[in-house]
Amino acid sequence: MSIEVSNIHKTFGHFQALRDVSLEIPSGELVALLGPSGSGKTTLLRIISGLEMPDSGTVRFNGVDTTDRHVRERQVGFVFQHYALFRHMTVFDNVSFGLRVKPRKVRPARAEIRDRVMGLLRLVQLEGLADRYPSQLSGGQRQRIALARALAVEPQILLLDEPFGALDARVRAELRRWLRRLHDEIHVTSVFVTHDQEEALELADRVVVMNEGRIEQAGSPEEVYEHPANPFILNFLGNVNLFRGRVHKGLARLGGMELSAPEHAAADDAPAVGYVRSHDIALERRPSDGASLEALIRDIHAVGPSVRVTVVLNGYGGAVEAELTRDVFETLALKKGDAVFVRPRNVRVFVEDYQI
Amino acid sequence: MTMTAHDVNRRGSVRDPKRDLTEPAPVRWLLTAVSLSFLGLFIVLPLAAVFSQALEKGTALYWEALREQDALDAIRLTLWTAAVSVPLNMIFGLAAAWAVTKFRFRGKNLLITLIDLPFSVSPVISGLIFVLLFGLQGWMGEWLDASGIRIIFAVPGIVLATVFVTFPFVARQLIPLMEAQGRDEEEAALVLGAGGLQTFLKVTLPNVRWALLYGVILCNARAMGEFGAVSVVSGHIRGATNTIPLHVEILYNEYNFTAAFAVASLLALLALVTLALKSFFEWKLREQLLRGNSEAHP
């Protein structure tokens, strides 16, 4: 089922949670709402579910206006951030709840409920735990039970609020892959909220980046990562270095380097910032061309698969962080205090009317 | 770890880290002795006195004092009052706690303060309020008199005063628990298609049942034992508007000590039963809170 959200506004007291948000989610997609806390992503999710009402704007499922339909009748599955399992019920009763509260006429027979629940517990790989209480489960198990409970009513749409937020890193990575496989299997339109860019980029078909109640950009993970629409997204999706300077008629002078910026051909000596991701900063012993900048190594952080090197640019004075692979790092044999040359690649120039 | 190592270096001997955190032995003994003697002096001794006085002249007289018509009437009225006011306050407490914890609205803090009002007002004043409202000289006195409705010096007045005095008990027990539990489970039930009543019966009520029973038992104890407010509105009419505490007072004022203590022993017994039930519910509640906490912080 497709979801169409148009011109949603929502305020809580004096806080404007959503400002004119419009979004289309095609049927069967797995979409991530990504943003820092307070960006309105959870509010948007709750408005789609019907747990929150928008001040204005509409929500449509498959083209049908559901804005005024009660949450009970929207047929959505919702997985809460802290799971919200019924603490006084067993796992079985939790998962079967949505079936047991159906009106008598449409309620499945007891045996059928049993089969459905057991099938779902198999799906989430927790068949043996039907008689346990939530307090007896680990965080990852509770998360999967919450998911099974949401799926029991065969929702047309699955909504997940920070589904992995409360789990430790290893369980989180595992559950993430598992959720992706599950989605590929059952193919229900799913929206999840996260503040973890890695999670969003790895898991989702489409990433919707939000900030201060607005959608900054929506697109495939590659699109959002490779072609960020503005500095906020660039900054949010990974470590970036800033080179300040000016741009004039398509030519940018930023912190000692000179490069062409054809998209700013109309700029007239405007202040600009060049953004370079730390893995797009190359370090070299000898300058390979005129664009290389002289620098001194201030710090080396060599833990994990890549090495982070902080250098200070001569003359310009700013610190730049470079992320190198171990191979490159070892070939260059870098030490603290060494003089090196910095060559930024993929510089994205934004005229400075948009501040982070 | 580093702390212990540090101590070893400085003092040359390993110290028990736990000992630093408790008081010296004489202080601990003193504190225990003070609290035990207080308990003995003000709780155990009077309780024992009630029963010994009641049974001083033999069990026959004890039973007689309880079977006397006025005593039976007082017991009946007390039970009747509790039977009306406890369910009323249970409903009110649930509604108030629900409103306070599950909704956002203006004047919420004022409502919480008002719920506590009967705790901060002297019971005698509580009784007087109703006399001022419904008494012959009161605001509605003339109209009530003309309509032939008797509230003051009658059973309705007693019930009203009791409801007023006991209404914080249930709400006070429920509000902190429901606050801690939040709205997540109710929302989960709604999303799963449950109606309002289903959500209340299957999710909210089971989650607060021990706190609710705890509040009800305290409410009941107070409803049966209330003296001040009831005394003001009752008029002490034997066989008609006397509750157990009022009956005890009358017997005592008539120097009928054995009977007074016999009837008082009923209230003492009620207190003991209340205490036992209260401990049980408290234990259940703590168990539930612990479980709830482990759920919130996995």
Side-chain angles (χ1 to χ4, degrees):
Chain A
M1 190 175 273
S2 69
I3 308 170
E4 194 186 323
V5 169
S6 14
N7 309 100
I8 296 277
H9 287 266
K10 177 75 185 174
T11 50
F12 294 108
H14 296 295
F15 178 69
Q16 190 143 26
L18 293 175
R19 310 160 196 246
D20 198 24
V21 167
S22 298
L23 177 67
E24 263 179 73
I25 297 170
S27 189
E29 262 197 359
L30 178 56
V31 173
L33 299 180
L34 174 67
S37 54
S39 59
K41 52 196 190 313
T42 296
T43 307
L44 180 57
L45 193 80
R46 287 172 63 86
I47 285 176
I48 295 174
S49 75
L51 284 171
E52 213 80 64
M53 292 299 278
D55 296 340
S56 64
T58 55
V59 178
R60 289 196 188 84
F61 290 171
N62 265 354
V64 181
D65 192 336
T66 56
T67 317
D68 296 322
R69 204 185 285 173
H70 194 274
V71 49
R72 190 183 301 136
E73 284 135 26
R74 287 202 193 187
Q75 285 193 294
V76 296
F78 200 101
V79 178
F80 290 81
Q81 188 176 2
H82 296 292
Y83 325 124
L85 294 176
F86 305 125
R87 64 193 96 192
H88 61 284
M89 293 185 202
T90 61
V91 163
F92 183 92
D93 288 342
N94 261 285
V95 176
S96 63
F97 185 86
L99 301 171
R100 286 186 288 124
V101 297
K102 278 178 190 277
R104 192 156 309 201
K105 270 178 270 169
V106 290
R107 191 190 306 160
R110 191 172 289 225
E112 198 190 328
I113 290 181
R114 192 164 184 85
D115 289 347
R116 285 257 284 274
V117 172
M118 284 312 181
L120 281 161
L121 290 180
R122 253 196 308 283
L123 185 73
V124 299
Q125 300 160 354
L126 291 172
E127 293 161 272
L129 301 183
D131 297 327
R132 298 275 185 91
Y133 283 89
S135 56
Q136 299 167 306
L137 305 178
S138 72
Q141 288 170 335
R142 283 178 207 172
Q143 180 60 277
R144 283 186 277 165
I145 294 302
L147 197 58
R149 181 178 70 177
L151 291 173
V153 290
E154 295 176 339
Q156 305 294 307
I157 288 163
L158 185 61
L159 305 169
L160 307 102
D161 186 7
E162 301 263 359
F164 314 111
L167 301 170
D168 59 66
R170 214 168 51 85
V171 179
R172 186 188 298 204
E174 205 175 287
L175 262 184
R176 203 192 282 171
R177 280 191 289 275
W178 175 82
L179 182 67
R180 180 71 238 189
R181 279 203 309 277
L182 184 77
H183 181 263
D184 293 341
E185 213 169 293
I186 58 178
H187 244 85
V188 56
T189 312
S190 308
V191 183
F192 73 98
V193 157
T194 180
H195 57 257
D196 182 343
Q197 37 108 358
E198 209 184 302
E199 197 167 284
L201 295 175
E202 183 186 318
L203 193 55
D205 297 320
R206 238 149 56 89
V207 177
V208 177
V209 187
M210 296 187 65
N211 183 36
E212 291 180 346
R214 285 193 199 87
I215 291 179
E216 298 280 2
Q217 190 176 4
S220 70
E222 295 76 29
E223 230 171 276
V224 174
Y225 191 78
E226 296 301 333
H227 307 288
N230 58 45
F232 169 80
I233 297 169
L234 195 57
N235 211 32
F236 194 68
L237 297 182
N239 294 327
V240 286
N241 293 293
L242 274 62
F243 293 86
R244 290 181 190 282
R246 292 189 167 267
V247 59
H248 182 65
K249 295 207 166 96
L251 186 72
R253 289 170 206 274
L254 305 162
M257 57 179 172
E258 213 167 88
L259 53 117
S260 69
E263 69 273 27
H264 297 301
D268 181 20
D269 199 26
V273 182
Y275 294 83
V276 186
R277 291 211 165 95
S278 50
H279 61 79
D280 282 332
I281 299 270
L283 296 183
E284 41 202 26
R285 286 290 188 182
R286 251 174 267 288
S288 56
D289 56 43
S292 298
L293 309 165
E294 278 180 68
L296 279 179
I297 296 183
R298 192 170 73 185
D299 224 342
I300 294 173
H301 188 77
V303 177
S306 58
V307 181
R308 291 209 315 270
V309 181
T310 312
V311 301
V312 182
L313 297 176
N314 292 349
Y316 177 63
V320 169
E321 196 180 86
E323 199 178 317
L324 311 178
T325 61
R326 275 197 175 270
D327 286 352
V328 172
F329 176 71
E330 275 155 23
T331 323
L332 289 170
L334 299 172
K335 286 194 307 295
K336 222 167 161 173
D338 281 1
V340 287
F341 289 89
V342 171
R343 197 159 52 85
R345 294 165 297 195
N346 292 331
V347 185
R348 292 175 177 83
V349 181
F350 289 97
V351 171
E352 211 165 356
D353 55 65
Y354 191 107
Q355 276 294 346
I356 297 169
Chain B
M1 269 310 178
T2 52
M3 198 57 205
T4 324
H6 183 73
D7 279 353
V8 172
N9 291 341
R10 214 176 48 191
R11 296 168 207 270
S13 67
V14 182
R15 294 180 52 192
D16 178 6
K18 234 198 267 175
R19 273 190 49 186
D20 288 341
L21 299 175
T22 59
E23 314 302 331
V27 176
R28 272 183 284 157
W29 289 336
L30 189 70
L31 285 173
T32 317
V34 166
S35 50
L36 278 182
S37 46
F38 246 75
L39 215 64
L41 198 62
F42 290 105
I43 308 279
V44 180
L45 209 62
L47 206 59
V50 167
F51 285 101
S52 77
Q53 285 275 355
L55 296 165
E56 200 184 36
K57 294 186 178 146
T59 46
L61 238 87
Y62 179 82
W63 288 121
E64 199 160 308
L66 294 184
R67 269 194 306 237
E68 189 213 351
Q69 190 53 46
D70 286 350
L72 283 178
D73 284 339
I75 293 169
R76 191 174 304 123
L77 180 59
T78 295
L79 289 176
W80 169 239
T81 307
V84 176
S85 55
V86 172
L88 275 179
N89 276 327
M90 191 169 111
I91 292 166
F92 166 77
L94 267 169
W98 182 284
V100 164
T101 57
K102 313 273 170 179
F103 302 124
R104 290 175 287 224
F105 59 92
R106 264 165 196 277
K108 191 158 144 172
N109 284 326
L110 185 69
L111 180 62
I112 297 176
T113 313
L114 282 178
I115 289 171
D116 277 351
L117 187 72
F119 275 168
S120 50
V121 171
S122 158
V124 176
I125 310 293
S126 312
L128 271 176
I129 295 170
F130 290 101
V131 174
L132 285 175
L133 273 177
F134 305 120
L136 262 184
Q137 269 76 43
W139 289 356
M140 300 167 74
E142 272 177 47
W143 179 80
L144 286 171
D145 196 43
S147 321
I149 302 169
R150 288 194 61 87
I151 291 181
I152 301 304
F153 304 145
V155 176
I158 293 174
V159 172
L160 277 176
T162 308
V163 168
F164 179 83
V165 170
T166 58
F167 88 56
F169 285 97
V170 174
R172 283 289 300 242
Q173 287 305 319
L174 292 182
I175 288 171
L177 180 70
M178 286 167 83
E179 201 113 79
Q181 289 179 343
R183 295 195 308 190
D184 277 9
E185 287 183 44
E186 277 83 10
E187 286 187 345
L190 284 179
V191 178
L192 288 167
L197 189 65
Q198 278 175 317
T199 305
F200 177 73
L201 292 178
K202 291 186 184 207
V203 176
T204 310
L205 205 53
N207 270 339
V208 300
R209 64 184 185 277
W210 297 118
L212 182 64
L213 285 171
Y214 183 95
V216 162
I217 201 79
L218 288 183
C219 181
N220 181 59
R222 183 67 188 268
M224 290 188 170
E226 176 55 29
F227 178 82
V230 170
S231 173
V232 175
V233 295
S234 127
H236 305 263
I237 306 163
R238 281 196 197 207
T241 63
N242 255 353
T243 60
I244 297 177
L246 300 183
H247 188 59
V248 171
E249 195 211 12
I250 289 176
L251 291 171
Y252 183 81
N253 286 344
E254 289 170 347
Y255 302 103
N256 193 349
F257 294 134
T258 310
F261 279 107
V263 179
S265 74
L266 281 183
L267 286 176
L269 274 176
L270 171 73
L272 291 176
V273 171
T274 303
L275 210 62
L277 284 173
K278 178 174 143 345
S279 311
F280 175 71
F281 294 145
E282 224 168 13
W283 170 66
K284 278 286 184 189
L285 189 62
R286 203 163 39 233
E287 209 176 43
Q288 188 190 352
L289 275 178
L290 284 177
R291 258 201 283 161
N293 282 346
S294 75
E295 185 144 337
H297 310 286

